[in-house]
Amino acid sequence: MFEIVERPAQRVAGSFWEGTFVEAADGAVRRLIAEMQEHHLRLHPKDHPMLVGLSWNDRPDGFRYLVGFVSKKAETTRHPGHVDLPAMRFVSAMHHPEAGDVFAHYQHMFDWIASEGLAVDTSRLHFREEYEPGFVSLSLSSLRLMVPIR
């Protein structure tokens, strides 16, 4: 169910969003994902890479989120941004539509991390999510959930 994976040092370039959990539940993040997919297809019609979401839960009522692609340069978007990450280790799990609530899935991941004697590492980010090309919504599409560990 859970596995430990590594990602190399990389730049994730795209658009930042910041808002409340309510705004996210009302579709703000889903709309940003769709915008980034459309933007990339306009610039690179034959390239269908995985979309990456990075989040920082650094405010009491919400979070910051970067939606983008692994890139050697910053993409030119409406809200351009990028984050350069070192090589990192994550606990990872696929979340499928029938799996229910994403937050409950993350809680199971945290429980597993603790039971394995591992430690969460939020020094760079809180969560990483990887969306396959064609991602539509949590109710219709799968995504990879990832929690950084030491």
Side-chain angles (χ1 to χ4, degrees), residues 81-145:
H82 70 275
V83 173
D84 291 315
L85 297 172
M88 296 178 70
R89 292 176 65 217
F90 296 89
V91 168
S92 172
M94 288 303 295
H95 180 81
H96 303 287
E98 64 276 7
D101 183 58
V102 168
F103 296 109
H105 201 153
Y106 272 122
Q107 187 57 55
H108 293 307
M109 292 174 79
F110 287 122
D111 294 344
W112 185 84
I113 290 167
S115 73
E116 293 293 310
L118 300 169
V120 173
D121 179 5
T122 58
S123 62
R124 300 276 181 184
L125 55 98
H126 286 86
F127 301 101
R128 177 181 175 127
E129 296 171 342
E130 296 178 347
Y131 303 90
E132 294 297 322
F135 178 86
V136 176
S137 71
L138 289 172
S139 62
L140 298 172
S141 306
S142 297
L143 73 150
R144 179 170 297 282
L145 306 178

Side-chain angles (χ1 to χ4, degrees), residues 9-86:
Q10 55 191 199
R11 170 173 283 183
V12 178
S15 289
F16 276 103
W17 174 85
E18 184 171 345
T20 66
F21 294 116
V22 171
E23 290 169 323
D26 286 342
V29 171
R30 187 179 66 245
R31 285 188 294 277
L32 183 58
I33 291 168
E35 287 173 18
M36 285 304 300
Q37 289 170 328
E38 292 167 14
H39 169 79
H40 191 83
L41 283 174
R42 276 194 309 275
L43 293 178
H44 314 282
K46 295 182 182 185
D47 183 26
H48 304 283
M50 172 184 56
L51 191 63
V52 176
L54 306 175
S55 65
W56 297 266
N57 292 0
D58 54 5
R59 50 184 281 185
D61 65 336
F63 59 102
R64 288 183 301 131
Y65 203 69
L66 172 67
V67 175
F69 299 93
V70 173
S71 175
K72 292 187 183 349
K73 61 183 177 59
E75 293 275 340
T76 305
T77 62
R78 194 173 75 208
H79 304 287
H82 70 275
V83 173
D84 291 315
L85 297 172

